[in-house]
Amino acid sequence: MSSPDLQQEAEDIHDQLPESVGASLDDIQERLTTLVDEYRVPLDEARRSVMSTYLSDSDVDRDEVSSENGNPQVDLEEIDEAEQWVDITAKVADLWEPRSDSIAQVGLLGDETGTIKFTKWAKSDLPELTEGQVYRLGNVVTDEYQGQYSVKLNRTTTIEQLDQEIEVGDNSTEAEGALVDIQSGSGLIKRCPQEDCTRVLQNGRCSEHGEGEGNFDLRIKGVIDNGDTVQEVIFDQDATEQVADITLAEAQEMAMDALDTSVVADAVRDATLGRYYRVQGPEMGRYLLVDEFEQITDMHDPEQILITARSM
Ligand SMILES: [Zn+2]
């Protein structure tokens, strides 16, 4: 595991959970790592979330459960329920660096209908998957976290290499409407400089590593409203620089002159709030991570939308 803190935390949780819950240390670590590293959830919150997950559904260690034969063969976009045993045919679209020794391989599988995260446990002792290669995977288990589905390869999983090509489909989503709110934590922020830690510093402190210089970053956490539904969105540095027409260097200079970083958030707000955008990108939990965006002409009366948003 890359972070000794997460390892320790996982062990603590493991010790605290009743035996009857049957939570494996690997599974706890995996859930914690996903929350902290992928979703940037503060460790305290992640810990509570993991504990309550196990206590609310005292499920058994999935690796110990052997599946029945005759799983359905499903397309990746059909996976919309956790704890299902399925067979899939997919290409290894991407391999990521495992964050834990308990994980042999982690990455993205893709088929014509979209992509899904996969995890292959070290203890499952399965053959190595190669990026770009298509496989038929039998007996994988689906999992879900905050609306994001994944599949787990376990020791009962069968792996058959196929001599075929798959054009991986795009499952990024789109939202369109007025940017009606810009949330705190937007504008010029500082992230912890520690390796494997990208937590946002609060008053110059990382909740894990204490005081630090921090690395500057720009982002917008906002809400896009089309009059019917709202979508929370995150613009990363690139997207923020473009949408707010400000570079990171300019933002730093602006904050230095004012001796206050909030001037950047104000400038970003002035440049974007109430404007109409069509944004596109992958969904992560409740956020759409903006890869691409364009400003569009008004689709609704802006006054009306802002009034709706304020009354929420
Ligand atoms: Zn840190």
Side-chain angles (χ1 to χ4, degrees):
M1 180 134 226
S2 53
S3 161
D5 297 329
L6 283 182
Q7 169 101 51
Q8 185 57 53
E9 198 67 43
E11 282 170 17
D12 288 351
I13 293 172
H14 188 250
D15 290 345
Q16 282 177 34
L17 283 169
E19 198 104 322
S20 60
V21 168
S24 75
L25 184 56
D26 288 346
D27 206 23
I28 295 169
Q29 271 183 9
E30 158 76 2
R31 284 172 193 263
L32 263 188
T33 306
T34 303
L35 285 167
V36 172
D37 290 350
E38 286 178 33
Y39 293 93
R40 314 274 185 243
V41 173
L43 191 57
D44 287 355
E45 212 176 294
R47 172 196 173 78
R48 276 196 301 278
S49 166
V50 170
M51 288 288 280
S52 68
T53 301
Y54 284 111
L55 293 172
S56 65
D57 64 354
S58 304
D59 57 358
V60 287
D61 182 350
R62 282 170 223 125
D63 279 9
E64 302 305 325
V65 180
S66 69
S67 105
E68 293 161 17
N69 290 328
N71 298 323
Q73 162 91 29
V74 299
D75 291 336
L76 297 185
E77 72 170 359
E78 292 179 72
I79 294 175
D80 58 2
E81 203 179 341
E83 316 275 325
Q84 302 299 304
W85 292 84
V86 295
D87 297 349
I88 56 180
T89 297
K91 176 156 98 175
V92 178
D94 203 4
L95 286 173
W96 306 328
E97 195 63 35
R99 298 284 194 140
S100 158
D101 290 341
S102 63
I103 296 170
Q105 286 188 295
V106 58
L108 215 54
L109 295 172
D111 69 8
E112 285 85 356
T113 67
T115 55
I116 196 166
K117 181 188 166 186
F118 81 94
T119 304
K120 195 183 87 185
W121 302 109
K123 68 177 180 188
S124 300
D125 209 17
L126 293 167
E128 191 87 356
L129 301 181
T130 307
E131 195 167 319
Q133 176 67 48
V134 174
Y135 298 92
R136 176 175 298 127
L137 302 171
N139 248 5
V140 302
V141 191
T142 64
D143 197 7
E144 185 263 344
Y145 176 72
Q146 291 194 345
Q148 295 294 306
Y149 294 94
S150 65
V151 293
K152 313 255 187 227
L153 281 54
N154 57 83
R155 78 171 73 105
T156 69
T157 298
T158 55
I159 299 178
E160 184 189 346
Q161 189 169 321
L162 299 182
D163 190 17
Q164 71 179 70
E165 181 50 38
I166 283 183
E167 189 75 38
V168 174
D170 179 7
N171 62 349
S172 71
T173 51
E174 220 181 66
E176 151 176 338
L179 188 64
V180 293
D181 189 25
I182 290 183
Q183 299 166 333
S184 70
S186 297
L188 189 64
I189 56 168
K190 271 187 162 183
R191 293 189 189 276
C192 178
Q194 289 280 326
E195 207 179 333
D196 291 329
C197 181
T198 52
R199 288 180 183 81
V200 174
L201 302 185
Q202 306 289 348
N203 300 319
R205 286 185 65 83
C206 168
S207 60
E208 270 309 294
H209 302 104
E211 302 263 347
E213 260 307 292
N215 301 324
F216 280 111
D217 194 7
L218 266 181
R219 74 169 173 192
I220 297 172
K221 288 172 76 176
V223 177
I224 283 187
D225 187 334
N226 69 5
D228 285 331
T229 54
V230 294
Q231 171 69 56
E232 290 183 75
V233 297
I234 294 181
F235 289 76
D236 66 4
Q237 184 193 324
D238 273 355
T240 302
E241 286 186 328
Q242 288 177 50
V243 75
D245 194 22
I246 186 173
T247 66
L248 179 60
E250 285 164 357
Q252 283 177 247
E253 203 173 324
M254 198 187 259
M256 226 141 46
D257 288 347
L259 298 172
D260 184 359
T261 55
S262 71
V263 295
V264 176
D266 291 343
V268 165
R269 189 171 284 114
D270 285 347
T272 60
L273 191 66
R275 309 235 162 124
Y276 288 73
Y277 298 98
R278 181 177 300 126
V279 301
Q280 195 184 331
E283 261 183 288
M284 275 294 174
R286 58 185 220 261
Y287 292 105
L288 187 160
L289 307 180
V290 178
D291 272 345
E292 286 175 48
F293 71 88
E294 58 176 320
Q295 195 173 341
I296 53 178
T297 50
D298 298 12
M299 25 184 289
H300 297 275
D301 176 12
E303 275 306 314
Q304 194 52 49
I305 279 188
L306 283 168
I307 289 162
T308 314
R310 277 189 218 106
S311 63
M312 279 191 308

